[in-house]
Amino acid sequence: DAGVIQSPRHEVTEMGQEVTLRCKPISGHNSLFWYRQTMMRGLELLIYFNNNVPIDDSGMPEDRFSAKMPNASFSTLKIQPSEPRDSAVYFCASSGGPRGYTFGSGTRLTVV
Amino acid sequence: AQKITQTQPGMFVQEKEAVTLDCTYDTSDQSYGLFWYKQPSSGEMIFLIYQGSYDEQNATEGRYSLNFQKARKSANLVISASQLGDSAMYFCAMREVIQGAQKLVFGQGTRLTINP
C-alpha cells in the first residue's frame, strides 16, 4: 500500500494566485481529512469528508478556501486567491475506522 | 477550551533513559480514542500508539506504551530505552464525535531531544 499520497510536496506561489493541493487516500478508507500546520496555531482540522461527502467544514478559515472530493480516490484543497498568511504545511489524512488515521507527507505551501 | 493539553513544550533526555511525555484531555464523551504521533524533522506524521476509552489494558507498541488514567483524563506516552532517532515532535490527539462527525484534535506538541 502506497499510503496517502499528496502532491505537490512543495509549492511556492505569488500572492493572489490560485493554489490547488491534491490528495489520494488509502484505497478502502472512507474518511478523508485536511489539516493545516503552522507554528502559531499547530495542527488545525480544516474539513472532513465521509464517503466523499463533506461533513464538517467549520475549520475552513474563509471563503478563499474550498475542498472537493469527486470520488473515493481523490480530493483537492483550493485556495483562491492565495495570501502570505496561507503559508503552512497542509496535510491530508485518511481513515478506514476509528483506530487508524494515516497522514500523507504534506504539502509545504509558501505564498510570497 | 483546549481539548488536548501537552504541558511540556520541550524535553531533553539522555540516550537509553526512559521518557514520559504528558497529555491531558477534556471530553464529556464516554467513547473516544487517544493517539500519539511522532513528527521528525522531515515533517511526516507517524502513528505510534492508540488507546480506546473502553480498553482495559494500557496500549503498548514495542518501546512505546501509553499510561492511560481515565479518571484523571491523562494519556501519557512512555518511551523506554530512548534512542537518538526518537528526537522529534510528539503530538497527542483525541478522536471525538461532534454532531456525528469524527474529528482528530491535536495538542500543541512536545519537542523531544535525545542527547548522546
Side-chain angles (χ1 to χ4, degrees):
Chain A
D1 194 337
V4 177
I5 300 172
Q6 290 187 246
S7 63
R9 289 296 306 274
H10 302 275
E11 176 81 36
V12 180
T13 191
E14 292 186 346
M15 184 174 63
Q17 296 297 306
E18 177 180 296
V19 175
T20 299
L21 311 181
R22 296 172 176 81
C23 175
K24 176 179 170 55
I26 290 174
S27 177
H29 281 191
N30 61 351
S31 298
L32 184 140
F33 306 80
W34 282 100
Y35 285 86
R36 178 173 69 175
Q37 184 178 31
T38 60
M39 287 293 293
M40 291 297 295
R41 302 175 68 91
L43 275 156
E44 304 173 275
L45 178 62
L46 300 178
I47 187 169
Y48 152 65
F49 293 85
N50 192 43
N51 293 323
N52 312 339
V53 176
I55 302 299
D56 182 0
D57 65 354
S58 60
M60 296 285 261
E62 44 196 278
D63 292 345
R64 298 183 298 106
F65 286 69
S66 63
K68 294 181 180 180
M69 192 165 186
N71 56 61
S73 59
F74 184 65
S75 177
T76 60
L77 178 67
K78 185 177 293 186
I79 309 172
Q80 165 63 21
S82 58
E83 297 182 2
R85 60 193 167 119
D86 302 331
S87 297
V89 178
Y90 291 80
F91 286 102
C92 175
S94 71
S95 174
R99 286 177 167 261
Y101 292 77
T102 304
F103 281 75
S105 299
T107 295
R108 182 174 296 276
L109 173 65
T110 304
V111 184
V112 298
Chain B
Q2 190 73 18
K3 294 278 189 174
I4 297 285
T5 303
Q6 295 181 252
T7 58
Q8 307 149 311
M11 283 195 69
F12 295 84
V13 173
Q14 209 65 26
E15 189 181 8
K16 299 181 184 177
E17 290 183 353
V19 57
T20 298
L21 304 182
D22 295 340
C23 174
T24 57
Y25 58 92
D26 181 27
T27 183
S28 56
D29 292 346
Q30 296 301 309
S31 178
Y32 52 89
L34 297 157
F35 300 76
W36 278 92
Y37 283 84
K38 173 184 179 180
Q39 187 176 41
S41 56
S42 52
E44 68 265 38
M45 295 288 288
I46 302 169
F47 166 76
L48 294 178
I49 197 166
Y50 169 83
Q51 179 85 42
S53 58
Y54 292 120
D55 293 343
E56 294 186 353
Q57 301 287 333
N58 283 345
T60 61
E61 292 284 349
R63 292 187 300 113
Y64 303 108
S65 61
L66 201 151
N67 184 0
F68 182 45
Q69 298 188 42
K70 194 170 182 177
R72 299 176 67 177
K73 294 188 176 179
S74 76
N76 298 340
L77 177 70
V78 180
I79 306 174
S80 63
S82 58
Q83 302 171 356
L84 296 178
D86 294 333
S87 294
M89 281 290 287
Y90 288 81
F91 292 95
C92 180
M94 178 175 66
R95 183 197 73 244
E96 58 177 3
V97 179
I98 299 176
Q99 296 180 342
Q102 291 192 56
K103 292 186 175 183
L104 198 58
V105 180
F106 285 85
Q108 287 298 103
T110 295
R111 182 170 297 281
L112 175 64
T113 302
I114 307 298
N115 294 317

